[in-house]
Amino acid sequence: MLHSFHIFNRKGDLLFYKEWARAPRSAKAMADDHKLMFGFLFSLKQLVNKMAPRGSGGGLHACSTSTYKLHYFETASGLRFVLCTGLAAGDLRETLRRLYADIYVETLTKNPLHRLDEPITCKSFEQAVDAFFASLQQGQG
Amino acid sequence: MASEAERKKVALRRLGDATFSKVDKVSAELFSLTYGAVVTQLLKDYEDVAAANVQLEKMGYNMGVRMVDELLAKASLAQCASFSETAEVVAKVGFKMFLGVNVEVAAATSSEFRLLLSENPLAEFVELPEECSKLEYSGLLCGVLRGALEMVQMRVECSLLRDTLWGDEVTEIRVLLKERLVEEFVDDDE
């Protein structure tokens, strides 16, 4: 069960957003949510690094609440992929990495019309992402 | 300790080979000739060798900021622990993947390294005419390195120290670490 999907860049700009099964809300509330989400991840990441035993970096992988689980994948180039799902989901970082390697890089990085750091409007990216999540959802039942 | 570093190098070289086998290839001649055409056109447009050098570096930068993502994705790389490790990754994986050549790292310290290219696919079939003897024909590579490393939070300065086209034995690029960029989060509400 998928809830929402964000892609942020290093600066915290929202590049792409998609949601399933979330209560409808105003555009303003939605924009606030995105900002909160990035702020939350940013702080959490710093905390995670600070808490790590000496000599090991340690990155944020996922966190869960009583109703959903947040999966986090960050590339060395600063892109953050955030997927919220139901609690039953396993480790989805490899899935997010595949999305980055097979879809993001192929349809956006190599696409001269796409400008990095701007919201994604590329049709083939959207289609590929939709198909990707549709198959993911089917796989999980 | 030395054997540990050696093992790492071998592993990276293998990763470079594996990644190289994964990417689409174009004919080396087509590549060299296309690049030659671009450089020639730049020289015609700018009518000045120094301006063309600057432009080549800029073009490289714009390519580098994108190429890094492809490298990270195809090679499934994680953060490097040190600048000298970055040097090895650039040489053994990056150059191998995009240009198919083996590059040696020299004089790697925590803030500087040099890349030695004994073969350079960009400069195949090229001879610099007298009036272009100052042309940094492969300056594009410096730009690529600067762009790619900036995306992974390292501000570097790259320069072409030696070039086979200038009569040197190898092409040598120096990469100087200026600053490690820090992530910060600016909340525009406040």
Side-chain angles (χ1 to χ4, degrees), chain A:
Chain A
M1 169 85 152
L2 303 174
H3 295 193
S4 66
F5 174 59
H6 296 77
I7 302 177
F8 293 102
N9 67 5
R10 201 188 290 280
K11 285 176 236 146
D13 306 321
L14 182 76
L15 302 182
F16 188 76
Y17 178 66
K18 212 172 160 48
E19 63 177 30
W20 304 264
R22 288 199 58 185
R25 54 216 195 284
S26 73
K28 171 84 174 64
M30 216 139 124
D32 284 349
D33 283 358
H34 299 326
K35 213 181 281 172
L36 277 173
M37 172 66 98
F38 186 80
F40 165 70
L41 291 169
F42 189 87
S43 320
L44 192 59
K45 204 185 119 189
Q46 295 217 313
L47 177 74
V48 166
N49 277 326
K50 280 205 185 102
M51 299 277 291
R54 201 182 321 175
S56 66
L60 172 60
H61 294 177
C63 61
S64 43
T65 71
S66 55
T67 48
Y68 66 90
K69 186 168 173 188
L70 180 151
H71 306 263
Y72 184 72
F73 171 70
E74 180 179 326
T75 71
S77 56
L79 288 164
R80 286 118 213 256
F81 296 77
V82 186
L83 181 66
C84 291
T85 67
L87 286 172
D91 187 350
L92 290 182
R93 282 188 314 135
E94 178 52 29
T95 308
L96 289 176
R97 201 197 65 76
R98 264 201 345 261
L99 190 148
Y100 163 65
D102 299 342
I103 303 183
Y104 185 91
V105 169
E106 294 300 320
T107 61
L108 298 174
T109 307
K110 293 185 184 176
N111 178 353
L113 293 178
H114 170 68
R115 301 196 152 265
L116 306 174
D117 290 347
E118 276 179 20
I120 296 163
T121 51
C122 170
K123 277 275 168 302
S124 57
F125 175 79
E126 282 170 27
Q127 281 163 3
V129 166
D130 283 344
F132 184 85
F133 282 130
S135 72
L136 189 65
Q137 229 153 358
Q138 242 165 21
Q140 295 195 333

Side-chain angles (χ1 to χ4, degrees), chain B residues 55-150:
Chain B
Q55 209 53 36
L56 275 174
E57 206 271 350
K58 247 187 224 164
M59 281 169 55
Y61 175 83
N62 288 326
M63 290 162 71
V65 294
R66 287 171 182 254
M67 283 160 75
V68 68
D69 265 321
E70 198 181 350
L71 173 69
L72 294 171
K74 288 260 163 60
S76 309
L77 290 166
Q79 216 99 37
C80 290
S82 64
F83 197 56
S84 50
E85 191 186 339
T86 308
E88 292 295 333
V89 170
V90 167
K92 301 286 182 307
V93 189
F95 272 86
K96 181 71 190 178
M97 171 182 171
F98 288 109
L99 292 177
V101 295
N102 294 309
V103 172
E104 289 306 319
V105 178
T109 67
S110 59
S111 63
E112 184 186 340
F113 62 82
R114 290 161 193 231
L115 297 169
L116 301 175
L117 288 79
S118 41
E119 40 179 349
N120 179 2
L122 291 178
E124 212 72 27
F125 321 118
V126 179
E127 268 176 44
L128 295 181
E130 192 83 19
E131 67 271 21
C132 295
S133 60
K134 288 277 183 310
L135 178 68
E136 292 175 3
Y137 190 84
S138 305
L140 186 92
L141 297 177
C142 297
V144 169
L145 290 169
R146 183 168 70 89
L149 291 176
E150 187 179 296

